[in-house]
Each structure stands twice: as C-alpha cells, then as structure tokens.
Amino acid sequence: MPTALIVLAALSMMVTSLEAQDLRPPADDLVLWLRADAGVQRQGDPVVLWEDQSGRGHDATSEAATAPTWVEEAIAGQPAVRFDGLQTSMTIPHHGELNAGEAFTAFCVFRYHDGFRIAQKKDRSGGLTPDAWFIAPHAGLGVGGRYSSASMAARGEPAALTTVFDAAKHSLSVYRAGKLVDELTGLEPQQPNTDPIRLGKRDLPGGTEGHFEGDLCELLLYRTALPDDARKQVEQYLLAKYSIEAPVEPTLTITRVIPGHHEVRVDWLRPEKAEGIADLRYTLAVKLREEPWDSAATVTVPGDQTSACMTGLWNHADYSLRITAHSQDAEEPLATSADRLVSPAEVPGVVVDYLHKDDTAYADAGQYVGSPTIARMDDGTLVTAHDLFGAGTNNLTRVFGSSDDGETWTHLSDVRHAFWGKLFTHRGELYLLACSRGGGDMLLHHSPDGGATWEAPVTVAAGTYHKAPVPVIEHAGKLWTCVELWKGGWPAGFEAVCLSVPVDADLTDPTNWTVSAPLPYDTAWLPEGWEIPESKQGFLEGNAVVDPQGRMLNILRYHVAPHYRKAMVLGIAEDGTSLSFDRVIDFYGGMTKFTIRRHPETKRYWSLVNRVTRPGSCGMRNVLSLVYSDDLDHWTLVRDILRDDRLFAPQYTGFQYVDWLFDGDDIIVASRT
C-alpha cells in the first residue's frame, strides 16, 4: 500500500505571535527561507520536498534513499529536519541569486552532533575555493576560501548563527545568538558558480563529504549585507521562537578541568573583582549535562584556594560545571566562569589537561588536545605542553609545570602562534620549536622563566611547515631536529627537512640556523614487490638520531598502508644542508608517530611505539609498546606499557603521539590519551 504524502504547513502559535509583534524577518532581498514548521512534504517519514518560504521558488528536494526525516519537537518544541550524518542530504537547484557574490547574509538555527557541512554551494570541492560558499557548525558562512574559526557551536546544544558578508567592506562578521564572536577582514567577492546548494553535506565524490548529523530548524539567506537593524530583527525572531539565549561573557577563568575516577577537579584564576574581599568563597557546581542547574551538586572552598574537587560522579556520564566567586553579603556572584563539560573516567597516569569533545572553551583555537611534549628544567621542574587542533585557528599551545616529578600540575601559560611544538632545554633555558599554525612558518619561542611567560617568537624558516614533538638533540657542536615542508596532500605531500644550530650560538637569532634543502619522497624507495598508489605513500614526523658510527640520521614514520612495520631512514649531511635516502628498516609501530632516544650511558636506542596487533588496523593506537635496538636496524620488543584489547579499542582508544624522557632509572611519558 503506497505511503500517503503528508504536507506540513501549519504554523505554531508562537510564530503567529511573533509575526504579530512585527518580528517577522524582512522580505526585501530574502532569497531563501527554509523553516521546518512550513512547507515540509514527506513520503512517510522521509522529507521529499522542503518548500522555500521566501517566494523565490528555491525548493529543496531529496532522493528516496538519502532523504532526511522530520521531527515534530526538536528545539523549544519547534520541529526540525533531521540529518543522520551518514548519507542524508537535500539539493536546491542553482540560481545566480544564491551565489554570495558581493554581499550575503546567512541565518541558521540548528543543533548538531557531528559533521561539518550544513550547506554548501560548490560541488566537487572542499569549499575553500574563490567560487564557493558553505555554512558549517564551526564557522558560520565561509566565502571564497575564508571562514571564521571562533564561532564553534557546542555539540548537542541549540545554536543560532548569523554571518554577514560584505565585499565592499572586505569583511565577514559572525554572530552567535546575536552576539558578535568573530570578524574577518580582507575578503573579496565570491566568484560565481553554477552548482546547486547541498543541504546536510558537501558533494565531494571520493573525498570527505562532511555529512551533517543533527537538526536543521531554519535557514534564511539574503542577497545583501543586512544592516544592523534588519539583522537584529531576524535574530530577535529566531531567538524568541527557539528560546535561545545570548552567551554570557565569563568573568572567572577556569584553567584546568581534570576528570578522574568518579570525580572531577577544577582549577581557576582568582578574578580581579575578588581582590580585598575578606569573606570570599568559591563554589563548584556540577550537574548532569541534560539536567537544570537547580539540580547541581556543589562544593564550596575558602577564598584563598583556587582548586576544588567534586566526587561521587558517574564514570562516562557527561556533566556540566561552573565556578562562582561570592561573598557572604552579596546576593549576586562576584564572578562566574563559563560552563565547562567533563566526563569522569579512570585514566592511566596523571591527567595534565583535558578537553571534552563538546566543550567550546577554546573554540577559537581548536577542539581536541594534541601534540604532547615534555622537558625537564635544570632545577628538576617538569614542563609539559600540548596544542589544540580541529575547528579553529590551530595555533595555540597550553603549557603546564610540575615541581613534584609529575604528581601534580599547574597551568603556566598559553602560547599563541605555536602548533605541533616541541619543548626543549638548552643551557638552562626553555624553548618551544613550533609551527605558527598548521602548515605555517617554523618559529622558535623562548621562555626566560620556565614557561610562565614567553618572548615574541623568531622565524627560523618561512613556509608551509609540518612537524611533531620529536627530539632536539646535541651532536658535533650543534643542536639538530627534523621537520617537514608540507606541499599539500597526505601523506605524499611531505618533504623532509633538517634544522641545525651551533650549541654556542644565540638560538633566537634566525641567521644562526641552517635549514636543509627539502627532500621529497621518491616512490622508487618503496620496497620491492609492494603495490601502493603513489598518492598513498609518504613519510613524516622524522627523528634526528645519531647512529653507532656517529652519522646523523633522520628516521621517519613511513606511511605505506597496508604495511605497518617499516620506518624510513634518511642520511643528513655533516653540514646539515641536505638529506639523502639511506634505507628502509623493520620497525614496530612505524605507521604512527614515535620518538627514538639514545641512552647517554648504555648507548642503546629506545622507543615507545604504537605496535599493531591487528593487521587490518594498521593505524591503531590502543597499544603502546617499549622497544629497543643496539644498531637501529634490529628492534626488540620489551613489553606493552599500555594496552586496551576491547573489540572497538582501535577506533576509540589512543595512547598516542607520546613524547618521553629518560628520568634516572625510569622513563617519563606525555601522552595524548
């Protein structure tokens, strides 16, 4: 029996009320208006047609196999079109007025769980071309290759994004819930294209299509840069309709959220407003993420403390938390932090820092913790750091210190223009060698006080560089380390580079550094009998290592899936100006980042590697193994240090990108876990 066609055209009482208050969006220059409470036609559950309410006729349609569904109550009781993040999408045919051109304003109300494309007008593209535009949960409107990196919406939370593009002013302004969160300059008009708009994905055959998983409630596009009064009129309509509140600017800064077994510890900075208040108290409030704040449990600590711990939590449950500063007599808090997220769990080792996957505290920089690195100062203080990557600028490194051999940690500083960095010490001074951003200049940062403050960085090498927290070693009167020049593409786009500087030179003088000629990967180096497409071969994240004969080598991660137990060895010229192919060696965990160090007394080489125990999962990182070698060619497995053998561990568990040091009779490790 055929399924009946259902037309959803009724408007809610709330919308009628809003329109009666003249909050209805202005009609001038409106070229697309999709709203889930009007014009949605379904064939059973699948949405087959979403009628444009602007009157311009730009309806969205879908194929039966990839149609999204309609849900009656999504945000504040309002309906939405739901995309599954796997294959659902809709298409709006091309029309010239749907190009961003010289000016464009986009409004979008949604709730997302995964994916990175709500809409895109440019097929067969990642969206970063002069003739493309896209709308993303983490960017608002991206136009002509430029997009915001500071407007990320929290997963699972209702969001209202506005983006105003004005080529005459060369600007792109992004608003979240009516509040300006980012502004870009230097933009040019979007060049025209004749492609359709895809809703719920980008159309990139053979690549990552970025399917949107979540609810799309309303989408409005104007072919002009709306003035503030018109923009605010649309925002008032949307915010009232979907009960979305503007974000509150925090007045208290949380520096660390640290999950533990059935607990969370929170560190923060004393706010300026709290100075001189004798009866100062801080309260940590924690609640299940979906529950209201009046259900929160609280812990109160005296004003001379800036850390608190909440126990009795459920492991693996999602919690929201906040800190307030208050005095006994004041009715309102003196200062309040942003709301943060945490999921308690039992974790091996000591947690230095943590970021919940949906936490937007560092949305301008990134979404995930990466690139762990560790160093020890001459006075015994440990310093560790990591960057943040994902949606964002990818140029922030967070630095922490420990004076008790890593038992406890304190946030020291945040360093901008530092990504993929390596901490190292030289003659009692602390340095951070990092890229200015993902694929940026190679910068050297110097701290005169053990990581608390940092001087302006110097550019060691300009270009599109890539690196990892690999060793900086001393040999033959020089410091040596290895990086890559990134020409685009992965893994085939990396070229090996060696950096060196005399040990008695001023490291902060770029003229003292030698930058080798880059060495591209050559497919002729592929072991005989292996058949791997050229675009799937490559090397990266090389280690500077001195071999038993005193020669400088660069030993790199060798990406040649489905093979997983090889490493690439390059020779480095004595003057550091060039590299050359040497050999391919057997090496546990050669498909993922590793660090090789030579023990100063025994001269034996050691490494911690992500050993592959399931041949079909050559990129797995759920096993961390200790290996050693006396000659760099023959490696012996000592034992697994950390291991998770659960069925789905290769997809969900990682003891990875580890950086480590010899520490007396021990090894001390920083891991992205």
Side-chain angles (χ1 to χ4, degrees):
M1 180 175 179
T3 305
L5 181 68
I6 302 172
V7 181
L8 303 169
L11 303 183
S12 69
M13 293 178 61
M14 177 181 288
V15 176
T16 303
S17 174
L18 291 170
E19 292 174 353
Q21 299 172 38
D22 293 327
L23 290 180
R24 181 182 175 88
D28 291 348
D29 296 312
L30 179 62
V31 294
L32 178 68
W33 187 8
L34 299 177
R35 46 194 286 188
D37 58 3
V40 178
Q41 298 186 18
R42 339 182 243 140
Q43 196 79 36
D45 288 331
V47 176
V48 296
L49 176 68
W50 197 354
E51 295 177 346
D52 175 17
Q53 302 298 302
S54 75
R56 310 295 294 183
H58 301 309
D59 300 339
T61 60
S62 64
E63 302 293 332
T66 58
T69 57
W70 183 83
V71 291
E72 186 173 2
E73 293 188 6
I75 299 175
Q78 297 293 329
V81 174
R82 179 164 291 172
F83 296 85
D84 66 4
L86 298 173
Q87 61 180 5
T88 54
S89 65
M90 302 189 78
T91 301
I92 301 172
H94 163 73
H95 192 286
E97 66 185 4
L98 296 176
N99 283 321
E102 299 276 345
F104 212 52
T105 303
F107 299 87
C108 189
V109 176
F110 61 93
R111 181 188 352 238
Y112 99 108
H113 297 285
D114 205 355
F116 50 85
R117 281 296 182 274
I118 296 175
Q120 178 163 315
K121 191 176 191 300
K122 180 60 181 176
D123 277 355
R124 304 166 302 280
S125 165
L128 296 177
T129 55
D131 61 343
W133 68 253
F134 63 83
I135 298 174
H138 64 268
L141 176 71
V143 183
R146 297 288 304 281
Y147 64 93
S148 164
S149 57
S151 56
M152 186 176 74
R155 296 174 193 261
E157 300 293 334
L161 282 182
T162 306
T163 312
V164 182
F165 167 58
D166 190 341
K169 297 180 179 178
H170 304 285
S171 68
L172 185 75
S173 302
V174 186
Y175 302 81
R176 186 167 67 233
K179 181 177 181 180
L180 182 67
V181 293
D182 201 13
E183 201 161 17
L184 303 184
T185 58
L187 276 79
E188 298 297 329
Q190 182 223 347
Q191 298 176 12
N193 71 50
T194 58
D195 292 329
I197 295 175
R198 308 286 181 175
L199 296 178
K201 74 164 191 174
R202 62 185 184 189
D203 190 49
L204 187 59
T208 303
E209 299 206 324
H211 281 278
F212 173 68
E213 180 186 355
D215 298 330
L216 179 56
C217 294
E218 204 145 343
L219 175 65
L220 300 94
L221 301 179
Y222 288 82
R223 58 181 175 182
T224 186
L226 287 185
D228 283 347
D229 57 348
R231 171 183 59 80
K232 291 177 181 178
Q233 181 179 338
V234 181
E235 288 171 341
Q236 288 172 1
Y237 156 77
L238 294 173
L239 297 181
K241 180 176 178 179
Y242 296 100
S243 300
I244 298 175
E245 297 181 358
V248 177
E249 192 69 31
T251 51
L252 183 151
T253 301
I254 291 176
T255 56
R256 294 201 312 154
V257 175
I258 303 301
H261 186 44
H262 297 300
E263 69 176 32
V264 60
R265 177 168 293 280
V266 184
D267 297 346
W268 61 89
L269 297 177
R270 183 182 178 92
E272 291 184 5
K273 290 183 178 181
E275 295 300 327
I277 297 177
D279 61 345
L280 181 67
R281 296 289 186 272
Y282 296 104
T283 296
L284 165 63
V286 180
K287 69 176 183 69
L288 286 167
R289 184 177 178 181
E290 303 300 328
E291 297 297 320
W293 276 105
D294 58 14
S295 69
T298 60
V299 172
T300 299
V301 298
D304 59 352
Q305 297 183 24
T306 53
S307 182
C309 183
M310 174 75 74
T311 60
L313 306 179
W314 294 337
N315 280 354
H316 311 298
D318 283 345
Y319 290 90
S320 298
L321 62 88
R322 65 172 58 146
I323 300 289
T324 55
H326 50 93
S327 64
Q328 184 174 343
D329 298 331
E331 293 184 5
E332 297 295 326
L334 296 168
T336 304
S337 73
D339 295 348
R340 300 292 302 275
L341 297 172
V342 68
S343 182
E346 192 169 10
V347 180
V350 176
V351 179
V352 177
D353 198 23
Y354 163 88
L355 185 63
H356 188 285
K357 64 183 177 64
D358 299 337
D359 196 329
T360 59
Y362 299 96
D364 66 324
Q367 200 172 348
Y368 309 107
V369 169
S371 307
T373 177
I374 190 167
R376 188 183 282 279
M377 302 295 294
D378 288 352
D379 65 0
T381 301
L382 285 170
V383 185
T384 189
H386 69 82
D387 59 27
L388 294 163
F389 71 98
T393 55
N394 295 174
N395 71 355
L396 177 70
T397 289
R398 307 199 72 220
V399 184
F400 304 84
S402 173
S403 58
D404 55 9
D405 286 330
E407 292 295 327
T408 60
W409 294 87
T410 301
H411 175 254
L412 298 178
S413 58
D414 289 343
V415 187
R416 286 286 179 179
H417 310 298
F419 192 62
W420 292 325
K422 169 57 186 162
L423 290 170
F424 69 97
T425 60
H426 181 60
R427 297 187 174 174
E429 297 290 310
L430 182 66
Y431 297 89
L432 175 68
L433 183 67
C435 295
S436 59
R437 53 181 168 78
D441 296 336
M442 189 61 55
L443 304 182
L444 183 70
H445 301 258
H446 170 241
S447 173
D449 51 15
T453 62
W454 295 83
E455 298 170 350
V458 297
T459 302
V460 172
T464 54
Y465 281 92
H466 169 275
K467 68 181 300 299
V470 290
V472 177
I473 68 170
E474 183 173 338
H475 174 67
K478 292 183 178 181
L479 298 180
W480 305 78
T481 195
C482 295
V483 301
E484 291 82 43
L485 194 61
W486 194 7
K487 294 298 184 67
W490 198 97
F494 297 102
E495 300 181 355
V497 174
C498 176
L499 305 178
S500 59
V501 61
V503 295
D504 56 358
D506 178 2
L507 271 57
T508 62
D509 182 350
T511 63
N512 291 327
W513 287 79
T514 297
V515 181
S516 76
L519 179 67
Y521 175 77
D522 190 336
T523 56
W525 302 335
L526 189 70
E528 187 175 353
W530 290 9
E531 296 183 2
I532 301 173
E534 289 187 15
S535 63
K536 302 297 183 182
Q537 306 175 41
F539 52 37
L540 67 157
E541 298 171 346
N543 288 245
V545 181
V546 181
D547 76 2
Q549 289 74 44
R551 296 184 304 152
M552 280 299 308
L553 302 177
N554 182 6
I555 303 183
L556 301 100
R557 167 182 173 183
Y558 193 18
H559 202 281
V560 281
H563 305 278
Y564 52 83
R565 196 176 162 180
K566 298 289 183 180
M568 174 66 68
V569 182
L570 305 177
I572 301 174
E574 289 187 6
D575 62 2
T577 60
S578 63
L579 299 96
S580 58
F581 173 72
D582 192 275
R583 62 192 187 276
V584 174
I585 61 172
D586 289 328
F587 186 78
Y588 292 98
M591 273 281 291
T592 50
K593 185 263 180 184
F594 54 83
T595 286
I596 297 174
R597 292 188 181 277
R598 193 181 195 187
H599 195 278
E601 296 175 5
T602 67
K603 305 304 180 184
R604 174 171 283 178
Y605 301 94
W606 294 86
S607 188
L608 287 165
V609 299
N610 289 130
R611 186 168 68 91
V612 175
T613 60
R614 299 184 195 178
S617 302
C618 57
M620 60 183 285
R621 296 167 179 175
N622 55 299
V623 178
L624 185 69
S625 304
L626 180 66
V627 298
Y628 75 85
S629 173
D630 291 318
D631 59 8
L632 293 176
D633 284 301
H634 304 89
W635 290 86
T636 299
L637 172 66
V638 179
R639 66 181 178 91
D640 296 332
I641 305 301
L642 294 169
R643 181 166 180 155
D644 183 355
D645 285 325
R646 288 174 293 182
L647 179 61
F648 296 107
Q651 287 84 7
Y652 293 105
T653 300
F655 311 114
Q656 57 191 327
Y657 290 92
V658 299
D659 189 21
W660 59 271
L661 303 170
F662 292 118
D663 195 47
D665 292 334
D666 298 319
I667 284 175
I668 188 165
V669 183
S671 168
R672 176 186 164 214
T673 303

